[in-house]
Amino acid sequence: MPRLLYLFAVAAFSLSFALPLRADTLPVPANLIPFDSTEGEKLLVGAEATKAYFALSEQFVTQQNQAFCGVASLVMVLNALKVPAPASEELAPFSAFDQSNIFTAQAEAVLPRTVIEENGMTLDQLGALAKAFGLKAAVRHASDTNLDAFRRDVRARLETAGQYVIVNYLRSALGQQKYGHISPLAAYDADSDRFLILDVSRYKYPPVWVTASDLFAAMNTPDRDNDNRSRGFLEISR
Amino acid sequence: MPRLLYLFAVAAFSLSFALPLRADTLPVPANLIPFDSTEGEKLLVGAEATKAYFALSEQFVTQQNQAFCGVASLVMVLNALKVPAPASEELAPFSAFDQSNIFTAQAEAVLPRTVIEENGMTLDQLGALAKAFGLKAAVRHASDTNLDAFRRDVRARLETAGQYVIVNYLRSALGQQKYGHISPLAAYDADSDRFLILDVSRYKYPPVWVTASDLFAAMNTPDRDNDNRSRGFLEISR
Ligand SMILES: [Ca+2]
Ligand SMILES: [Ca+2]
Ligand SMILES: [Ca+2]
Ligand SMILES: [Ca+2]
């Protein structure tokens, strides 16, 4: 093999290691029902509360890095609520929130982007950030409520236009990989007693239907980054 | 008013003009049914072909600039088809296609990013770009087929796992603003004879249900950027 061709071949081979290709999401544990499955599709069609789904699914985004689950979730809700976004050079005269322009001066004053990049967000920080956009945002720690109240209140919100719920839960409690996570809820099916999570780590897991009790248990876990307060959910509206 | 405070006030006022806030999408013409409306929701629940919807809705993205409708559409289909994406520093060990990493060496060789940024894409260019990823991609100019064949073939694809259709149509023919556009189809409802377009310019229009005949007419329009060949649709699978 001519020397130059050999060097090209070595370079191409090395590059194929340096840039491996990946597309697989992780397997979904048996207690969760993937949205994009025969059972998952049927659940949406028969779900009792879907108002949030139709508005949020139009705004579904992938978290930009592994710390931005809360950022991505809030971007979806801001756009679903039609909160005016900063002007965009690319989209002018239109605009929309994304995972860059969400860091307005008001947002930075509450919680700097650099802090989120380092540590992600706690439930309380997510609530504070939502309020920086003038939203009504009620932080609900799971340990301060119970399964029945959670199910009743959140179902009612998912049935109502302009009402959104973002959940903060421990993935490992659901059999997922692995740490604390944040994503919006979109729907509730009463017959199966399951909520639909629009998981923003779309590169890792699909949206899933989770039972109210499994979800509540995964929220009712202490968060070391939040003085061991329990995780929980954020109720948001304009 | 102290001079310095006055200057600050003037600066703040000017900035509020320089950075106006916008969130409104445009009004949807009466011939189109918004997805996020009582009628639009009912159409999904009763739709005869929804296989593509469940996989594509999980991958829905906003086009990053006004020339990237074709790029955003192809990102959605690549991810729905689980085509391995380039490795990602941010998401490692996971990855997914986005509107930056889609410009691989193979893609650039077929159609450079700079060309798309300048002119967008024609239907034939979109087909060539899809093939650069090893996909089966059949370009169908509307003028080479007819409404009945379009409806039958595309409905069958939307009912089948792993089969996708991206449409290229003239917005003004649907009463929308304004030029040629590209977005994926996601579902078909036989009773209303309507297709669901997951419009990637999410900052501008919501997803809409359009009648097969209106959509076919909007595709059956000459594209000056493509030697006046008609617009049409791209059938894609692995
Ligand atoms: Ca039900
Ligand atoms: Ca943490
Ligand atoms: Ca029907
Ligand atoms: Ca053009």
Side-chain angles (χ1 to χ4, degrees), chain A residues 22 36 53 58 66 92 95, chain B residues 22 36 53 58 66 92 95:
Chain A
R22 265 300 289 270
D36 180 19
Y53 173 78
E58 296 185 7
Q66 308 220 18
S95 72
Chain B
R22 265 300 286 271
D36 180 18
Y53 172 78
E58 296 185 7
Q66 308 220 19
S95 72

Side-chain angles (χ1 to χ4, degrees), chain B residues 78-183:
Chain B
L78 285 165
N79 286 333
L81 285 170
K82 300 184 187 302
V83 175
S88 160
E89 220 176 287
E90 294 285 8
L91 306 182
F94 306 98
S95 72
F97 278 100
D98 60 36
Q99 292 168 69
S100 298
N101 70 10
I102 191 174
F103 297 102
T104 61
Q106 293 97 317
E108 283 281 342
V110 168
L111 186 61
R113 177 184 179 129
T114 50
V115 171
I116 302 174
E117 284 173 344
E118 191 73 21
N119 298 314
M121 267 191 265
T122 66
L123 178 62
D124 289 281
Q125 287 173 324
L126 179 67
L129 195 60
K131 284 179 188 159
F133 292 93
L135 300 178
K136 290 178 198 144
V139 170
R140 308 289 186 202
H141 290 276
S143 61
D144 296 340
T145 180
N146 60 61
L147 173 59
D148 288 338
F150 161 69
R151 181 194 291 111
R152 185 188 60 235
D153 292 354
V154 172
R155 172 184 175 162
R157 283 182 182 268
L158 299 177
E159 287 172 337
T160 309
Q163 303 276 343
Y164 296 95
V165 178
I166 296 175
V167 286
N168 172 215
Y169 56 103
L170 184 63
R171 277 197 188 276
S172 58
L174 297 182
Q176 290 187 322
Q177 298 290 334
K178 180 172 187 178
Y179 304 108
H181 190 53
I182 293 174
S183 280

Side-chain angles (χ1 to χ4, degrees), chain A residues 43 46-48 189-191:
Chain A
L43 286 175
E48 279 67 29
D189 175 65
D191 302 282

